[in-house]
Amino acid sequence: MSPTLALPAANLAIGIAGKVVNGIADALDPAKAKAKKQADDFETMFLEQMTERLTASEGTEGPLGENGAGGGIWRSQLSQQYAQQIQKAGGVGLSNQIMRDLLSLQEQAASGAQNVGR
């Protein structure tokens, strides 16, 4: 392998190894995994509401051509799929902040419960 390709390859390997280690640590900590899932679900719900609002129509003909009884249902399902795909692709950063806040609150509650018993 040429020296110009060796450094990027090494950085890639180190990055992947770091993600694997973090994934194993997350799997060992059920509280962190649960907080991550809740944060991801909240971000998905937020994104769903945002995409639904973006595709809403005031009249009979909207941006997606939803005439008829099934148009609203179709638009709702489309918004849900858009939101899930955006969140899977990394979202808008809301999930990470929510997870940090949830974990911080859990730590505060745990330390408060320990202090009460003393």
Side-chain angles (χ1 to χ4, degrees), residues 4-93:
T4 57
L5 294 177
L7 185 59
N11 286 336
L12 178 63
I14 290 170
I16 291 172
K19 288 181 181 181
V20 168
V21 169
N22 287 339
I24 291 170
D26 291 348
L28 295 176
D29 188 3
K32 190 172 183 180
K34 184 177 179 182
K36 176 69 173 151
K37 176 156 178 22
Q38 289 174 336
D40 288 348
D41 290 346
F42 183 85
E43 183 176 32
T44 301
M45 180 189 65
F46 172 77
L47 289 168
E48 184 178 343
Q49 290 178 356
M50 295 301 294
T51 56
E52 192 168 324
R53 185 71 181 143
L54 289 172
T55 59
S57 65
E58 295 295 323
T60 58
E61 185 70 34
L64 301 173
E66 64 270 359
N67 287 333
I73 295 169
W74 183 82
R75 187 177 65 237
S76 172
Q77 291 175 344
L78 180 65
S79 295
Q80 184 179 34
Q81 290 301 313
Y82 279 161
Q84 288 174 357
Q85 292 304 313
I86 292 169
Q87 202 285 319
K88 283 180 185 177
V92 293

